[in-house]
């Protein structure tokens, strides 16, 4: 069994910024991205994670991917950890992205195993082992079968944790609490897990999740921070009240698609960052009015 000498202490609210585009949608709005990241860090989030689903990583060229990495790491300025989403269809390009993140100064990478063909456990483990061997920073394995088409069982995740030196964290986004509890039990509570399902956050943090990976701080950072603090201090009544207030927004942004709803919310708050990239479309007027109400505008 490995000793996990490679580690980065990441916990708390891990904020996912959207990727701002120029008005014509053809390039990254680097000033807009730097401003958004700076605002997130100033709000008090505990880490920043660009290039996940929220960051529209699937719709970026490799040059654009690299630009987002560089701008984000530079804007954060070592104030909090940066976890770069590096998943891609091929092992080779995932390694390219992970190495880019490491060179730029990221503290860790998050890897979603994306595939056109369904991957079996042997293929998944080999994929992660190759990435782990290619970089020296920690890997957060990201399980989100709804978007990737690949589902990693708790048994597989713990097995990879025990065999891949720098696979040190798991983001679990199925919305099934029993998965997190199984990871905790199977690893002897040695494998840190993070909640990636917004509506599940209260239960996940209460069950021992080390953090909450979420785009919600782009719109309402303080309640997210307050919820994490309340759970950490054992204030179950306070945590429930905060969650009850925040939950309708969390459900809305997930149901409407994170890039679409978060970008619409930022525009409503007077901090517009442009539209999502096609084929995604801006939020329609009916749902925009609903979002305005959820933001108290």
């Amino acid at each position: 069994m490995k000793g996990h000498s490679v580690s980065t202490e990441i916990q708390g609210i891990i904020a996912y910024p959207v990727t701002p585009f120029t008005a014509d949608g053809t390039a990254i709005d680097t000033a807009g991205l730097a401003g958004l990241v700076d605002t997130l860090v100033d709000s008090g989030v505990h880490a920043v994670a660009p290039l996940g689903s929220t960051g529209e990583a699937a719709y970026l060229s490799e040059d654009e991917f690299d630009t987002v990495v560089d701008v984000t790491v530079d804007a954060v300025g070592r104030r909090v950890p940066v976890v770069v989403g590096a998943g891609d269809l091929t092992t080779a390009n995932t390694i390219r992205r992970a190495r880019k993140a490491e060179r730029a100064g990221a503290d860790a990478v998050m890897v979603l195993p994306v595939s056109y063909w369904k991957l079996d456990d042997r293929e998944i483990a080999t994929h992660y082992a190759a990435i782990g061997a290619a970089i020296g920073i920690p890997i957060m394995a990201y399980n989100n079968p709804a978007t990737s088409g690949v589902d990693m069982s708790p048994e597989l995740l713990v097995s990879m944790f025990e065999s891949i030196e720098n696979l040190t964290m798991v983001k679990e986004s199925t919305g099934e609490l029993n998965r997190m509890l199984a990871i905790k039990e199977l690893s002897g509570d040695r494998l840190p897990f993070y909640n990636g399902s917004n509506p599940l956050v209260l239960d996940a943090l209460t069950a021992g999740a080390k953090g909450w990976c979420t785009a919600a701080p782009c719109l309402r950072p303080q309640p997210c921070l307050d919820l994490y603090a309340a759970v950490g201090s054992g204030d179950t009544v306070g945590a429930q009240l905060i969650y009850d207030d925040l939950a309708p927004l969390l459900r809305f942004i997930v149901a409407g698609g994170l890039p679409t709803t978060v970008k619409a919310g930022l525009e409503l708050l007077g901090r517009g960052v442009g539209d999502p990239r096609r084929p995604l479309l801006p939020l329609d007027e009916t749902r925009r009015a609903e979002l305005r109400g959820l933001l108290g505008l």
Side-chain angles (χ1 to χ4, degrees):
M1 186 179 297
K2 65 179 181 178
H4 283 97
S5 58
V6 178
S7 65
T8 290
E9 185 66 27
I10 298 173
Q11 57 186 7
I13 303 301
I14 304 170
Y16 282 67
V18 293
T19 298
F21 298 110
T22 54
D24 61 4
T26 61
I28 305 296
D29 175 5
T30 56
L33 176 58
L36 175 60
V37 169
D38 191 56
T39 298
L40 284 170
V41 176
D42 283 348
S43 75
V45 300
H46 305 104
V48 173
L51 296 163
S53 305
T54 304
E56 299 179 75
Y59 304 119
L60 304 183
S61 70
E62 292 307 297
D63 285 345
E64 289 174 331
F65 176 96
D66 293 353
T67 295
V68 172
V69 171
D70 288 335
V71 171
T72 302
V73 171
D74 186 58
V76 169
R78 309 303 303 177
R79 290 176 288 170
V80 297
V82 175
V83 183
V84 171
D88 193 52
L89 276 168
T90 68
T91 302
N93 203 50
T94 303
I95 288 173
R96 191 210 74 79
R97 290 180 167 191
R99 283 175 167 166
K100 167 60 187 178
E102 182 174 29
R103 288 195 308 271
D107 298 276
V109 293
M110 180 181 68
V111 175
L112 178 72
V114 185
S115 184
Y116 180 89
W117 298 105
K118 183 177 180 179
L119 303 177
D120 63 26
D121 286 0
R122 180 176 66 98
E123 290 167 327
I124 295 168
T126 302
H127 177 66
Y128 276 99
I131 300 160
I135 59 174
I137 57 176
I139 297 170
M140 175 185 284
Y142 177 17
N143 190 45
N144 191 353
T147 57
S148 71
V150 177
D151 192 0
M152 297 184 285
S153 68
E155 290 80 6
L156 174 60
L157 290 164
V158 173
S159 173
M160 292 192 299
F161 167 71
E162 291 175 342
S163 61
I164 301 170
E165 183 67 29
N166 49 345
L167 196 158
T168 62
M169 304 170 276
V170 169
K171 176 185 173 185
E172 172 53 60
S173 296
T174 58
E176 298 176 18
L177 185 64
N178 64 314
R179 301 248 191 165
M180 298 182 187
L181 296 175
I183 290 168
K184 186 175 183 177
E185 180 179 357
L186 290 167
S187 71
D189 204 14
R190 293 181 303 115
L191 173 53
F193 60 91
Y194 299 75
N195 176 60
S197 171
N198 282 303
L200 188 68
V201 58
L202 180 56
D203 289 340
L205 291 175
T206 302
K210 294 294 183 182
W212 176 20
C213 303
T214 176
C218 292
L219 304 178
R220 294 192 65 194
Q222 197 58 52
C224 300
L225 295 163
D226 292 344
L227 177 59
Y228 179 74
V231 173
S233 67
D235 180 7
T236 55
V237 173
Q240 187 67 58
L241 288 172
I242 297 165
Y243 175 77
D244 290 344
D245 174 64
L246 196 55
L249 176 64
L250 299 179
R251 290 192 291 266
F252 181 91
I253 63 175
V254 171
L258 292 170
T260 299
T261 54
V262 172
K263 285 187 171 182
L266 286 168
E267 182 181 349
L268 290 171
L269 291 167
R271 297 186 279 119
V273 292
D275 293 334
R277 180 165 275 179
R278 299 290 181 92
L280 300 179
L281 293 174
L283 199 65
D284 62 56
E285 287 305 317
T286 299
R287 289 185 296 167
R288 190 178 296 267
E290 183 179 353
L291 179 55
R292 184 179 290 109
L294 291 171
L295 294 173
L297 301 173

